[in-house]
Amino acid sequence: MTELSAFPITGKWPARHPERLQLYSLATPNGVKVSIMLEEIGLPYEVHKVSFEAEDQLSPAFISLSANNKIPAILDPNGPGGQPLPLFESGAILQYLAEKSGQLLSLDPAQRYQTLQWLMFQMGGIGPMFGQVGFFHFFAGKEYEDKRPRDRYVNESKRLLAVLDRHLQGREWMVDAYSIADIAIFPWVRNLVERYNARELVEFDTFKEVQRVLARFLERPAVQRGLKIPA
Ligand SMILES: N[C@@H](CCC(=O)N[C@@H](CS)C(=O)NCC(=O)O)C(=O)O
């Protein structure tokens, strides 16, 4: 009997390595933030695929860990005080992993708050808005005759891309060094143009700085691995 067996999620997704951090995810733009982070920091983990086709995210076992029935979620057997820590919301998970590993979130207070600022900008702006472009342009909403909802989210996404583009002028990354802000933002930018086929719709080719930094991000070996996890 390991400590993790007290968590109902381990009944549906048994832990083969209960001493490792358990990740419950799918390779979506929110899911890969955490797999990229884990690949970057080199913390041993075990990944479990949450299938949307099988509606795993709605199962009582999954909701017992992730109350909002969304991926990604983690269960760290070695959380604060040596106790297991369950956590959902990718922004909170990125911050937790950065603090646990001492990587990708500066200890300098000003840089630290600026990193958190851009992390929140992703969580509150880019994720929800780009996600709605996905719904109205690529998923079920593309059948809707009334294009006003789609256009509203496309315009807001263009505005957000312009914010990024202005900020990235003369910069290598979102904050001074590569950080959890980049790991939060760039999987969503990639998803918008590559998966949702919205490159022309949002006039992506006009955002040269965003293109430049996205290309650098996608060159990182940990990013390339993380984008494919879980397979
Ligand atoms: N704010 C949440 C959003 C998570 C989220 O929207 N996850 C999506 C996949 S990208 C999901 O689990 N969707 C399943 C559903 O809504 O049933 C986070 O960043 O973790």
Side-chain angles (χ1 to χ4, degrees), residues 26-34 50 52 55 57-58 62 66 68-73 88-93 122-124 127-128 188 191 196:
L26 200 60
T28 70
N30 287 316
V32 298
K33 289 181 210 168
V34 177
V50 178
F52 290 170
E55 297 196 330
Q57 77 277 23
L58 302 178
F62 185 70
S66 182
N68 194 31
N69 63 264
K70 307 241 180 223
I71 62 98
F88 65 91
E89 280 296 334
S90 60
I93 298 171
Q122 185 283 310
M123 296 297 294
W188 267 107
N191 208 69
Y196 297 162

Side-chain angles (χ1 to χ4, degrees), residues 130-157:
F130 289 13
Q132 293 298 333
V133 172
F135 178 78
F136 285 105
H137 177 63
F138 185 71
F139 293 115
K142 71 172 188 283
E143 308 300 340
Y144 296 2
E145 261 176 47
D146 185 349
K147 296 299 173 200
R148 284 174 297 180
R150 182 201 70 176
D151 291 346
R152 174 178 162 78
Y153 293 115
V154 167
N155 288 337
E156 180 61 3
S157 297

